[in-house]
Amino acid sequence: MKITDAKVIVCSPGRNFVNLKIFTDQGIYGLGDATLNGREKAVVTYLEEYCVPALIGKDPRNTEDIWHYFYKGVYWKRGAVTMTAVSAIDLALWDIKAKTLDTPLYNLLGGKSRDRILVYTHANGKNLEETIDKAGKEIDKGFLAIRIQSGIPGIDHTYGVTEGNKPYEPAQQGLPREDYWDTSKYLNYAPRLFDEVRKAFGEDIHLLHDVHHRCTPIEASRLARELERSHLFWLEDPVTAELQEGLRLIRQHSVTPIAIGEVFNSVYDYTSLITEQLIDYIRMPLVHGGGITHLMKVAAMASVYHIQTGFHGATDLSPVNLAATLHVNTAINNFGIQEYMPHPEIVNEVFNINYHYRQGYMFIDDTPGIGVDIDETAARKYPYSTACLPVNRKSDGTMFYW
Ligand code: CS2
Ligand code: MG
C-alpha cells in the first residue's frame, strides 16, 4: 500500500479549520485535523512545503515509523506548529489503517473500555446571575458536568465569557483584541461564585473551572485551597506551565484536582507533572499533541501514576479531532472526562459526523476509521479569513498571559 498524494483543506464554516487528506493507491483516504487557532497558515505551509512531498510513496500502515520520521527525523523538534502537522499526518494514517481493516478506530487502540463518554460543557455569563441562569440551562440539557466561567465585577471583559447569546468563540477577525485583567479582583470573586453555584444546584453536579494560566503558583494555591469547599471536578491551567515545578506549590497547599496541558504538544511538557503526581488530568489534544501514536503513550504513562485524561475539546478543534478523541476515550482505561462544546450547525454542512450527545454523554458509532468525512464542495463555500485570540494586559497596561 502506498501514499499517492495528500492535500491540505482550509475552510471557515463559522471559524477556521485546517484538515489534511492523505490518498492511497487502494482508493482509501484518511483525514487528520491540523487546526492551530490563530496560527492556521503556519501549519498549512509546514505541511505543504515539507511534509506532503515526503509522504508520497510511503506505506501508510507504518504509523510508528512515519511518526518518528517527522519527529526524530527533523532537526527542529516539538513546538505547536510542528506537532500540529505531525498530529494531522498521524490521525490521517490511523484513519486509513482502520478503514483498510474495515473497523472503527477504537478497535485498534484496545477495543471498548466503555460504551459512552462522560463530557463537560461550558456555562458562562457576564455576572453571577447570568452564569447561574446559563448553568441551569445546561443542566436542563442533561449535562452532568459543567465548566463555570463568569465576568468579574470591575473587569470590563473576561476571556472565556461570551457576549450575549453568541456561541463561544475566543478568536476574532483581524488583529488580536486587547483584554484587561486584575488577579486580586478575580481571587476575591471566584470562591464566592462557586459558593453560589453550589447553593443553586447542590453537590451532585460536577463543576469545573479554567484559570487560563493567569495566577502565580502562590495565588493559584490560595484559589485552589479556597475552592476546596466547592469540591471542583478540576481546576484547569491554574498557572502557566512552562515551569513544571510551579505545580509543586499548589499540590503542597490544596487537594483541589488539577488539569493541565491544552497548550502542550509533547510528553516532555509533562514529565515532572506526571512522575511527581503534581496533576490529576492531562489535557493535551490529539491535534496538537502528536496524534494517536504519541497521545496513547502519554496516556499510558499517566495511567501508571493514577492520572486520568480530560482532553481539550473546544470548538476550534475540528470534528475530525473530536471523533478521533472519542475513539481514544472509548479504548483507554484511564479516561476521566471529555470537554464538549458543540460546533454550530454550519460546521455540519462541511463535516459528516459519526458522534452524538445524549444526557451527559457522547456516543460514537461504528463507521470504519475515525468516521468523519469532509465535503470539499461545501468547504469551498467558506474561505479562510484571519482571526486571532485576544492578548491580555494587567489593568496598568503590563502584558500578561492571554
Ligand atoms: C479553553 C479554550 O476549552 C478550554 O479549556 O481554554 O477555549 C481555549 O481558550 C481555546 O481552545 C484556545 O484556542
Ligand atoms: Mg482551557
Side-chain angles (χ1 to χ4, degrees):
M1 193 175 194
K2 294 230 174 313
I3 296 172
T4 49
D5 198 6
K7 76 170 161 188
V8 182
I9 304 164
V10 183
C11 61
S12 194
R15 67 137 20 258
N16 293 321
F17 292 114
V18 179
N19 285 271
L20 177 69
K21 190 168 182 178
I22 298 183
F23 301 88
T24 66
D25 58 358
Q26 306 205 356
I28 291 174
Y29 61 82
L31 282 176
D33 186 10
T35 311
L36 183 62
N37 198 7
R39 293 293 183 270
E40 294 87 358
K41 289 287 186 85
V43 185
V44 174
T45 304
Y46 194 104
L47 280 168
E48 285 180 346
E49 293 290 321
Y50 308 108
C51 303
V52 170
L55 277 168
I56 315 288
K58 288 195 165 31
D59 185 330
R61 295 169 297 190
N62 297 335
T63 43
E64 187 72 16
D65 182 66
I66 295 177
W67 194 91
H68 284 95
Y69 181 90
F70 288 107
Y71 182 81
K72 282 192 183 155
V74 176
Y75 194 74
W76 314 105
K77 291 179 193 59
R78 303 166 64 189
V81 173
T82 298
M83 292 307 286
T84 304
V86 174
S87 303
I89 295 167
D90 189 73
L91 287 177
L93 296 184
W94 277 94
D95 193 20
I96 291 169
K97 198 196 289 275
K99 282 178 179 167
T100 308
L101 297 169
D102 196 27
T103 193
L105 176 61
Y106 65 77
N107 271 335
L108 307 187
L109 310 177
K112 276 195 177 183
S113 286
R114 59 195 58 74
D115 53 18
R116 55 193 178 158
I117 308 297
L118 176 68
V119 291
Y120 73 90
T121 190
H122 290 202
N124 59 81
K126 61 176 182 302
N127 53 34
L128 205 133
E129 294 68 42
E130 193 179 275
T131 306
I132 290 181
D133 183 54
K134 291 207 182 161
K137 291 196 169 107
E138 298 308 317
I139 291 172
D140 290 345
K141 291 181 207 158
F143 282 103
L144 306 168
I146 306 185
R147 187 188 92 157
I148 302 285
Q149 306 294 128
S150 165
I152 300 159
I155 303 182
D156 249 7
H157 182 270
T158 309
Y159 181 78
V161 176
T162 44
E163 277 150 29
N165 281 328
K166 283 193 205 154
Y168 181 84
E169 175 48 71
Q172 307 222 322
Q173 300 289 304
L175 284 174
R177 187 190 61 217
E178 301 214 346
D179 282 353
Y180 289 88
W181 179 252
D182 185 324
T183 306
S184 69
K185 286 191 168 63
Y186 168 65
L187 289 180
N188 290 336
Y189 176 63
R192 279 199 290 122
L193 166 73
F194 278 89
D195 287 344
E196 294 307 315
V197 175
R198 275 278 174 240
K199 238 186 257 168
F201 303 113
E203 279 291 329
D204 283 349
I205 188 90
H206 294 306
L207 299 179
L208 301 85
H209 180 61
D210 195 343
V211 186
H212 287 118
H213 328 98
R214 300 244 170 112
C215 288
T216 63
I218 199 68
E219 289 165 349
S221 304
R222 169 183 152 188
L223 178 65
R225 182 185 275 186
E226 289 186 17
L227 285 172
E228 281 175 3
R229 61 182 190 250
S230 297
H231 300 147
L232 261 54
F233 187 97
W234 79 34
L235 185 65
E236 180 187 342
D237 288 339
V239 289
T240 175
E242 289 106 318
L243 183 70
Q244 296 191 33
E245 298 90 309
L247 273 295
R248 285 189 192 135
L249 206 64
I250 305 174
R251 251 326 190 231
Q252 282 160 19
H253 289 290
S254 169
V255 294
T256 294
I258 302 296
I260 216 154
E262 71 179 38
V263 299
F264 290 0
N265 50 64
S266 117
V267 72
Y268 297 107
D269 295 317
Y270 268 123
T271 43
S272 309
L273 298 180
I274 292 177
T275 57
E276 292 184 37
Q277 293 179 288
L278 301 179
I279 58 169
D280 302 279
Y281 296 91
I282 53 170
R283 296 267 299 142
M284 188 162 78
L286 289 174
V287 54
H288 305 144
I292 305 279
T293 298
H294 195 54
L295 237 294
M296 285 296 284
K297 292 172 186 167
V298 180
M301 182 178 173
S303 78
V304 174
Y305 292 89
H306 299 275
I307 294 166
Q308 293 176 284
T309 63
F311 298 124
H312 189 203
T315 43
D316 49 86
L317 316 177
S318 97
V320 176
N321 175 76
L322 178 56
T325 306
L326 293 173
H327 284 285
V328 173
N329 291 337
T330 300
I332 58 174
N333 176 262
N334 59 325
F335 164 73
I337 199 166
Q338 174 61 45
E339 180 177 20
Y340 175 53
M341 298 166 69
H343 287 110
E345 210 32 57
I346 187 174
V347 174
N348 299 338
E349 281 180 37
V350 174
F351 295 91
N352 300 320
I353 58 173
N354 58 336
Y355 49 77
H356 66 274
Y357 165 82
R358 184 158 42 84
Q359 291 299 312
Y361 295 90
M362 296 288 289
F363 298 80
I364 187 143
D365 72 20
D366 279 348
T367 309
I370 291 174
V372 169
D373 211 348
I374 191 163
D375 177 340
E376 292 182 57
T377 313
R380 276 190 285 274
K381 286 201 300 192
Y382 301 105
Y384 174 84
S385 135
T386 308
C388 288
L389 286 158
V391 298
N392 205 24
R393 294 184 184 278
K394 292 185 184 176
S395 34
D396 68 357
T398 311
M399 263 311 291
F400 198 47
Y401 298 105
W402 62 274

